Amino acid sequence: GESVGLHLPTLSVQEGDNSIINCAYSNSASDYFIWYKQESGKGPQFIIDIRSNMDKRQGQRVTVLLNKTVKHLSLQIAATQPGDSAVYFCAETPPHANAGKSTFGDGTTLTVKP
Amino acid sequence: DTAVSQTPKYLVTQMGNDKSIKCEQNLGHDTMYWYKQDSKKFLKIMFSYNNKELIINETVPNRFSPKSPDKAHLNLHINSLELGDSAVYFCASSPSLGHEQFFGPGTRLTVL
């Protein structure tokens, strides 16, 4: 399953399928990007990050892709599991003096159907 | 062994009251943050502190006053609470600026 366009508020996938969550960021000067996962009743939790000198980074079952030309970030989750159900946020961070000002995307709710 | 802790977890109060939320991190981080998450899950930065100094204040009403007595603590005091202040407030910390942030469990504030 994939969220299309800039992003969709919700994405529903079947257990075992791959998921793709998309995010458009706004500041072309941002040089650090993070994906967070927020489960119900909890704070956001770091999943994976990428700096602007890279276009792809892989973790365990997750991959982040960065396209600076169109200011687009995506999170790919392989073999999605019920425990992956959560709200996913992308966050962009500008460099230097503004590095304390991370901007979060609106979030995509991922629902995994067993 | 909680990394970032907040108290209280829930706060219900009347309009016009003054309340505080406390945050502590035991990660040895230099940077701490306060975020507000509204009912639609939109997460917005309010304040950033680096080495106890305020570096970001994102157009937050001055009824909100953060205080950092030391690098491990960042408290948030809110005066004259309004209905629109109802939200979940998250504290976070990071090793320094421009790094991943570790979030607390949140404080759900309800203003009646």
Side-chain angles (χ1 to χ4, degrees):
Chain A
E2 180 175 357
S3 64
V4 297
L6 294 181
H7 76 272
L8 281 180
T10 61
L11 175 65
S12 185
V13 301
Q14 206 68 37
E15 182 178 359
D17 287 353
N18 296 333
S19 302
I20 300 175
I21 300 172
N22 296 304
C23 175
Y25 64 92
S26 56
N27 187 352
S28 55
S30 291
D31 65 353
Y32 181 52
F33 305 87
I34 305 176
W35 280 100
Y36 290 92
K37 172 186 180 183
Q38 186 177 23
E39 295 175 286
S40 182
K42 296 184 179 180
Q45 182 182 17
F46 170 88
I47 304 174
I48 191 167
D49 60 359
I50 189 167
R51 297 210 178 259
S52 58
N53 60 351
M54 302 174 70
D55 52 22
K56 179 179 179 178
R57 191 152 189 244
Q58 287 184 285
Q60 193 173 23
R61 282 202 306 120
V62 294
T63 301
V64 55
L65 298 177
L66 174 63
N67 184 331
K68 294 182 289 294
T69 304
V70 295
K71 292 189 289 185
H72 183 267
L73 198 64
S74 69
L75 176 70
Q76 300 176 2
I77 305 174
T80 316
Q81 301 168 0
D84 295 327
S85 293
V87 179
Y88 289 81
F89 293 96
C90 64
E92 57 174 310
T93 302
H96 311 310
N98 285 321
K101 187 182 165 183
S102 292
T103 302
F104 281 68
D106 289 348
T108 296
T109 300
L110 174 65
T111 301
V112 182
K113 296 176 288 188
Chain B
D1 59 348
T2 304
V4 183
S5 58
Q6 294 178 229
T7 53
K9 188 163 175 59
Y10 300 96
L11 187 51
V12 181
T13 188
Q14 299 286 332
M15 262 196 322
N17 283 351
D18 304 338
K19 290 293 177 186
S20 291
I21 307 172
K22 295 187 176 183
C23 177
E24 177 181 0
Q25 55 96 1
N26 62 5
L27 298 166
H29 289 169
D30 286 343
T31 312
M32 296 186 73
Y33 313 81
W34 276 110
Y35 287 87
K36 179 180 180 180
Q37 186 171 47
D38 63 22
S39 58
K40 295 181 180 177
K41 297 287 190 182
F42 187 59
L43 200 59
K44 186 165 171 57
I45 184 75
M46 299 173 68
F47 301 104
S48 298
Y49 268 74
N50 193 48
N51 288 315
K52 300 196 302 172
E53 287 192 25
L54 178 67
I55 55 167
I56 297 288
N57 179 343
E58 266 307 280
T59 60
V60 178
N62 56 17
R63 297 183 295 105
F64 290 78
S65 51
K67 279 194 172 49
S68 182
D70 54 58
K71 287 203 296 186
H73 296 85
L74 181 62
N75 304 322
L76 184 65
H77 187 75
I78 316 169
N79 288 326
S80 303
L81 278 155
E82 299 177 358
L83 293 176
D85 297 332
S86 295
V88 181
Y89 291 84
F90 286 101
C91 176
S93 72
S94 63
S96 60
L97 291 170
H99 287 84
E100 67 178 275
Q101 296 177 28
F102 294 76
F103 283 79
T107 295
R108 181 175 292 277
L109 172 65
T110 304
V111 183
L112 304 174

